[in-house]
Amino acid sequence: MDKVLLKLYVTGQTPKTERAIANLRRICEEDLGGQYEMAVIDVLERPQLAEDEKILATPTLVKMLPPPLRRVIGDLSDTEKVLLGLDMQPLEKGEEE
Amino acid sequence: MSAMDRQPQIEKLETGIPGFDHISKGGLPKGRTTLVAGTAGSAKTVIACQFLAEGIEKADDSGVFITFEESPNDIRQNMLGLGWDIRSWETEGRWTFVDASPQPGQETVVVGDYDLGALLARIEYAIQKVGAKRVSMDSLGAIFTQFSDSATVRGELFRIASALKKMGVTAVMTAERTQEYGDIARFGVEEFVADNVIILRNVLEQEKRRRTVEILKFRGTSHQKGEFPFTVMPGQGVIVIPLSAIELKQKSSSVRISSGNEELDEMCGGGFFRDSIILVSGATGNGKTLMVTEFIAGGAANGERCLLFAFEESREQLFRNAEGWGIDFEQMEEEGRLKVVCEYPEVMGLEDHLIDMKTIIDEFKPNRVAVDSLSALERVSSIKGFREFVIGLTSFIKHEEIVGLFTATTPTLMGGTSVTEAHISTITDSIILLRYVEMYGEMRRGLTVLKMRGSMHDKDIREFTIDGQGMHIGKPFRDVTGILTGQPMHRAPVEIERISELFQE
């Protein structure tokens, strides 16, 4: 399976930030089979990274790999929509074995 | 004095935008955000850029430009034409972009709650990075189309506005309007930057575009009211024409100068005053351009510098005509005493003409300015615009203590007045009427000095002739009445005598 590289841009330690991180972890574990790399970037600490990536909203999830490059903004509370937005297929239950 | 009066006034930041600091009585409220709203093509982006550019050039203030609509590259390129090299300022660390423009080919899906925390963090970072005193955001409407949840965006923009205030920067935010006269801006953005609102308009009036700027409100501080015309000049940007800034404070000179025609000098009680405005009105072919030519020749003979704006005839025509009256324009020009500027009125708007003419006057520093004819400029403007132009030009000329001679063409051959006269007559110090007089199947020419402020003058209507030496003013028309109304009536000398005796004791 292709390597999955995700970046999550957040603003400080807010409930929204924590919710987004938790939701993303769950989606990655449950639906992407744990094959992922994930970086959380706090724009308050590293504004230049947000500038380079032209991030406006937080939280913003950017799928760097595999292509195509996709963005999902929000607290990622709806798994189905997140996967649709990232253009990724959830693993079938049967495939996991 | 009450305690209220002693409160410190809201400080203003001089923008450096020509004319704007005058109508805003000193600039934008310092440390606050001002909303600049306008329809498409009303020069919002130019104003937003110029606010930063003038800050860099005139006050050494650094700036941050947040763009929601055009890409930084487009802005850099577009503004080069206005004389602003943004890229070099970026290299010097005096200008920085926060690029919030839509990124092509990037799909974004919204899932759940979000805020614009990253944008705010980027703005704060950029402001600190260059030590910005000025911030421009252009334009707010575009961010509402990027994010569908307007309530969230509004709330976030409010948060950004408060953050800007806390950082002590003076900011300009632009926003779209859908109508020239209607709601302040789309998406109700005025709700969070309601302190200061400026409206830019670009109205179609009689097939002509007319740009105006209006300061709708400045909370807690004063400004001039109403719409002021402005123009966008290549290499300069926005220039506001502050009509109300014109002061009736010109000095008045009692020094007389020659009109270039001895007989006319005599009729005016010894010549024109040195800083007066003279209007010459007459029908086509009546001798107006001749009078202008003689006026210039009179100045040049006296060692003065003369400037002629010609809107009806070409250079060649003017020079040839002058030669026909025994006046050598070419030599005058060689000696640096004359400058002739010929232009079709249609080449630009009236506001642009005004700024152009002011620039040329500033550069050439003439003692005499002639405009032939003002009426030709009427064609390219609405009546209101024309009136503003005339007031702007005359007040500028008077302020510089230059004598100005303008011509106006009457619409009918016999008598009548033109729009030009209606708008200018009260501003002028002298009015000279040239009229055709029909006498026994022959067209003769008549001249009268209608008004000569601050001086006695000849009240006769005199006949004049034109030949190879120019204009010759002769005797009054004694037995004709009704010349000025365009219906000359011949009366027997006996009757005229009888009438004049009526008023004698």
Side-chain angles (χ1 to χ4, degrees):
Chain A
M1 186 173 171
D2 287 339
K3 189 180 151 198
V4 178
L5 178 58
L6 299 170
K7 281 187 184 170
L8 182 66
Y9 293 85
V10 297
T11 321
Q13 294 296 314
T14 63
K16 210 182 295 173
T17 300
E18 275 155 28
R19 220 159 47 231
I21 294 174
N23 283 333
L24 182 59
R25 284 234 160 85
R26 183 175 41 77
I27 293 169
C28 288
E29 291 297 332
E30 290 178 7
D31 298 286
L32 300 175
Q35 296 293 313
Y36 67 94
E37 231 175 88
M38 169 179 145
V40 177
I41 296 153
D42 187 342
V43 297
L44 295 182
E45 285 167 17
R46 313 192 67 180
Q48 187 62 49
L49 290 181
E51 184 62 48
D52 296 343
E53 207 51 54
K54 309 206 185 315
I55 304 293
L56 300 180
T58 46
T60 294
L61 175 63
V62 183
K63 184 189 70 169
M64 311 297 288
L65 285 171
L69 196 77
R70 283 296 171 94
R71 289 181 176 205
V72 176
I73 62 175
D75 62 9
L76 313 176
S77 49
D78 183 329
T79 306
E80 224 170 286
K81 274 171 91 177
V82 172
L83 289 171
L84 203 68
L86 293 177
D87 194 22
M88 296 190 77
Q89 301 293 324
L91 294 175
E92 294 295 321
K93 287 289 169 211
E95 263 178 58
E96 266 180 90
E97 269 84 36
Chain B
M1 222 189 226
S2 73
M4 285 282 285
D5 295 330
R6 263 182 266 120
Q7 288 241 325
Q9 279 255 318
I10 288 169
E11 242 190 288
K12 283 189 182 157
L13 177 80
E14 277 190 26
T15 60
I17 298 170
F20 180 80
D21 293 332
H22 224 117
I23 65 164
S24 59
K25 295 192 181 169
L28 294 177
K30 201 172 184 171
R32 298 189 170 205
T33 298
T34 302
L35 180 72
V36 176
T39 51
S42 61
K44 296 187 295 292
T45 307
V46 176
I47 285 266
C49 286
Q50 193 168 1
F51 174 59
L52 298 193
E54 303 280 5
I56 290 170
E57 285 186 332
K58 295 186 181 157
D60 204 19
D61 286 348
S62 300
V64 169
F65 196 97
I66 303 147
T67 174
F68 293 117
E69 205 166 5
E70 291 174 77
S71 74
N73 247 335
D74 284 350
I75 294 175
R76 285 183 198 115
Q77 209 161 16
N78 296 343
M79 295 307 147
L80 267 183
L82 295 171
W84 306 320
D85 185 359
I86 296 175
R87 199 178 286 278
S88 74
W89 291 332
E90 284 178 276
T91 327
E92 293 164 12
R94 304 206 283 172
W95 176 305
T96 192
F97 277 109
V98 172
D99 182 5
S101 61
Q103 302 300 311
Q106 207 164 75
E107 281 179 57
T108 303
V109 177
V110 178
V111 183
D113 269 359
Y114 63 91
D115 54 44
L116 298 181
L119 176 62
L120 179 56
R122 286 167 64 191
I123 293 171
E124 288 179 332
Y125 174 62
I127 290 172
Q128 280 160 5
K129 200 168 68 179
V130 296
K133 296 225 174 68
R134 302 182 183 209
V135 172
S136 285
M137 296 175 88
D138 179 66
S139 103
L140 296 184
I143 198 164
F144 283 91
T145 49
Q146 280 192 56
F147 297 96
S148 52
D149 182 3
S150 339
T152 302
V153 175
R154 243 196 310 273
E156 289 299 297
L157 286 173
F158 181 68
R159 199 153 70 100
I160 290 170
S162 331
L164 291 176
K165 199 171 192 170
K166 212 178 274 169
M167 295 183 82
V169 296
T170 309
V172 164
M173 288 187 180
T174 68
E176 296 72 18
R177 312 181 72 208
T178 46
Q179 291 170 307
E180 294 295 357
Y181 296 90
D183 291 344
I184 291 178
R186 282 175 78 191
F187 307 109
V189 289
E190 71 276 11
E191 284 166 27
F192 59 86
V193 276
D195 284 353
N196 314 296
V197 178
I198 291 170
I199 292 182
L200 304 177
R201 291 192 177 89
N202 186 15
V203 185
L204 193 60
E205 243 174 44
Q206 293 166 13
E207 301 184 4
K208 307 284 178 340
R209 282 282 170 192
R210 190 179 128 84
R211 294 182 185 280
T212 61
V213 51
E214 178 190 7
I215 299 172
L216 195 65
K217 61 173 170 178
F218 270 0
R219 189 161 284 170
T221 177
S222 67
H223 58 85
Q224 305 224 13
K225 289 166 189 71
E227 294 180 27
F228 294 87
F230 74 91
T231 177
V232 182
M233 296 290 276
Q236 295 179 67
V238 166
I239 298 175
V240 181
I241 299 160
L243 284 173
S244 58
I246 295 162
E247 292 168 72
L248 270 174
K249 265 203 218 151
Q250 306 93 359
K251 280 177 258 168
S252 205
S253 171
S254 55
V255 177
R256 302 265 191 170
I257 58 162
S258 171
S259 68
N261 182 305
E262 270 178 48
E263 294 125 326
L264 182 61
D265 286 347
E266 223 166 275
M267 286 183 77
C268 294
F272 299 147
F273 287 116
R274 199 180 54 193
D275 53 2
S276 61
I277 303 282
I278 302 116
L279 180 70
V280 177
S281 151
T284 175
N286 207 331
K288 296 189 300 295
T289 304
L290 169 59
M291 193 163 265
V292 167
T293 308
E294 293 200 332
F295 171 71
I296 285 171
N302 205 16
E304 296 174 32
R305 292 164 74 81
C306 307
L307 180 57
L308 168 61
F309 292 104
F311 294 105
E312 286 181 338
E313 287 172 292
S314 72
R315 233 183 115 77
E316 283 69 30
Q317 275 176 306
L318 283 166
F319 280 55
R320 190 199 58 206
N321 292 348
E323 213 183 302
W325 295 313
I327 293 163
D328 191 353
F329 268 4
E330 221 149 306
Q331 198 196 335
M332 288 181 202
E333 227 179 16
E334 272 169 30
E335 290 167 5
R337 283 177 293 171
L338 172 68
K339 187 181 173 75
V340 178
V341 180
C342 294
E343 210 141 28
Y344 262 115
E346 279 78 7
V347 293
M348 51 182 146
L350 219 41
E351 290 85 5
D352 296 9
H353 272 300
L354 178 58
I355 287 162
D356 244 26
M357 290 165 85
K358 281 184 176 178
T359 313
I360 295 171
I361 291 170
D362 265 341
E363 281 168 9
F364 188 69
K365 302 205 186 327
N367 307 95
R368 297 183 179 209
V369 172
V371 180
D372 188 31
S373 72
L374 268 189
S375 312
L377 289 166
E378 251 175 59
R379 295 204 298 263
V380 297
S381 166
S382 64
I383 289 180
K384 190 160 179 272
F386 182 69
R387 183 163 40 209
E388 288 167 353
F389 167 80
V390 168
I391 294 171
L393 182 65
T394 47
S395 65
F396 178 73
I397 288 180
K398 291 197 89 160
H399 198 258
E400 301 289 306
E401 292 179 39
I402 297 169
V403 53
L405 184 105
F406 303 153
T407 65
T409 311
T410 49
T412 53
L413 275 186
M414 313 289 286
T417 53
S418 65
V419 182
T420 309
E421 284 164 68
H423 291 310
I424 191 183
S425 56
T426 53
I427 308 165
T428 55
D429 300 296
S430 309
I431 298 177
I432 296 168
L433 298 182
L434 306 179
R435 291 287 183 264
Y436 283 114
V437 184
E438 188 191 337
M439 276 177 75
Y440 304 111
E442 198 188 354
M443 274 300 205
R444 315 266 284 264
R445 292 181 164 99
L447 176 152
T448 186
V449 178
L450 193 68
K451 164 176 159 185
M452 184 75 199
R453 203 170 265 166
S455 166
M456 293 296 287
H457 63 91
D458 192 332
K459 271 96 181 167
D460 288 332
I461 301 174
R462 289 175 180 267
E463 179 170 9
F464 71 93
T465 54
I466 299 173
D467 64 14
Q469 266 72 54
M471 180 184 278
H472 303 282
I473 300 170
K475 289 205 167 72
F477 289 95
R478 280 289 176 227
D479 47 357
V480 187
T481 61
I483 292 173
L484 296 184
T485 55
Q487 273 135 8
M489 298 271 285
H490 302 275
R491 296 195 194 279
V494 186
E495 198 187 346
I496 291 171
E497 240 167 68
R498 191 181 64 79
I499 290 171
S500 44
E501 274 165 16
L502 275 180
F503 299 102
Q504 282 172 6
E505 303 263 322

